[in-house]
Amino acid sequence: MCVGNCLQILSVSGGLSTAVGYPLDTVKVRIQTEGHYNGIWHCIQETYRTERVLGFYKGVSASVFTVSLISSVSFGTYRNFLCNICKLRYGTADAKPSGLDVSLAGGAAGAVRVVLMTPSEVAKVRMQTQRNPHPSVTSSQPFSKPKYRGSLHCLKVIAKEEGFGGLYKGCSALLCRDCSSSAIYFLTYTSLCDWLTPAEKNKPGFLVVLLSGGSAGVLAWGLATPLDVLKSRMQVDESGQHKYKGLIHCARESVRKEGLKVLFKGLGLNCIRAFPVNMVVFVTYEAVLRFTDNFINKK
């Protein structure tokens, strides 16, 4: 019961952090996939002008549900892989892991995330880039009827028009992004915690967890931004468009048309969103770890 409650806490934490940062994510995706915005503020203004507040929350329900489910799975995968690696290498799960051990466990957690979350990522990106003007907005130009009525309808349409492969569009970019960034994410967090925690203490303090978690999120997302751009562009490529044949083709075409700077679209937004979100995530993670450790020791 207690372990189940801990997993629920991790899930809720992941879901809430996603919901809070979702408007910035919508702006980021639009900047990455559409070339007519002059910058972050211009995208925010245009989105609000035509779609009001709801325009920033398109596809939020599926994203929050998926992240809520996957947050506990991701951290659970990381912890289990790390324990098994330590058992194999050092004979006990309680041994202090090396940087390589942490990176391998983090990469494994990233791979599991990709398998579970790619369909919801595709639906999220399609919903975020779909124009659906607010009824209060008047325009001389007629607006076309939105193709997707919601996240579930979006998944249904994609499966019908593009097949099962359509649900996993951009999977190669997402796999490269999440495996590498997850390895960097956990390695940065554990390294900073070790560095900032006094030798006489065996657990990092609250402020150390906040700083380490936020910094790990910023570094991981900062380095992952180029692959994040390519992932978004591949996923928004609907049936009948076929702009990109794959990850390498998408990178080559994007750079050819817009220069190297295209790979860093949304970098600032990724970093701004990453710090507070991952502070909350790691504080929750540490709280769950300590609670489960106390529970097991009492037994």
Side-chain angles (χ1 to χ4, degrees), residues 115-126:
V115 174
L116 296 174
M117 74 182 292
T118 302
S120 70
E121 274 285 309
V122 175
K124 177 182 79 73
V125 169
R126 296 281 179 92

Side-chain angles (χ1 to χ4, degrees), residues 36-107:
H36 59 269
Y37 295 116
N38 298 326
I40 295 172
W41 185 242
H42 182 232
C43 181
I44 293 172
Q45 285 180 313
E46 285 298 299
T47 300
Y48 181 76
R49 185 179 65 81
T50 57
E51 301 168 78
R52 298 295 185 256
V53 175
L54 291 178
F56 296 98
Y57 286 93
K58 286 181 175 178
V60 67
S61 56
S63 186
V64 168
F65 175 78
T66 305
V67 172
S68 296
L69 176 67
I70 291 174
S71 286
S72 56
V73 174
S74 178
F75 276 88
T77 300
Y78 165 74
R79 194 68 186 170
N80 284 324
F81 262 85
L82 192 59
C83 287
N84 285 319
I85 289 171
C86 288
K87 279 182 183 178
L88 287 172
R89 294 194 65 188
Y90 313 114
T92 174
D94 296 327
K96 184 174 177 60
S98 67
L100 177 61
D101 301 332
V102 173
S103 298
L104 289 173

Side-chain angles (χ1 to χ4, degrees), residues 52 133-138:
R52 298 295 185 256
H134 193 272
S136 64
V137 176
T138 57

Side-chain angles (χ1 to χ4, degrees), residues 142-159:
F143 292 111
S144 58
K145 186 178 179 181
K147 183 176 182 179
Y148 308 118
R149 297 194 296 268
S151 298
L152 290 177
H153 182 251
C154 180
L155 289 171
K156 183 180 177 181
V157 172
I158 292 170

Side-chain angles (χ1 to χ4, degrees), residues 159-230:
K160 182 180 178 181
E161 293 184 353
E162 304 171 45
F164 182 77
L167 298 174
Y168 279 85
K169 234 173 199 179
C171 184
S172 56
L174 194 57
L175 186 66
C176 292
R177 186 197 78 175
D178 278 17
C179 286
S180 58
S181 65
S182 191
I184 293 166
Y185 181 61
F186 285 105
L187 178 60
T188 303
Y189 174 73
T190 54
S191 299
L192 284 174
C193 281
D194 289 343
W195 183 50
L196 295 172
T197 301
E200 64 272 13
K201 292 186 178 181
N202 61 351
K203 295 283 186 182
F206 180 72
L207 290 178
V208 170
V209 172
L210 283 178
L211 180 60
S212 301
S215 300
V218 170
L219 181 61
W221 270 108
L223 295 175
T225 296
L227 285 165
D228 189 48
V229 172
L230 300 178

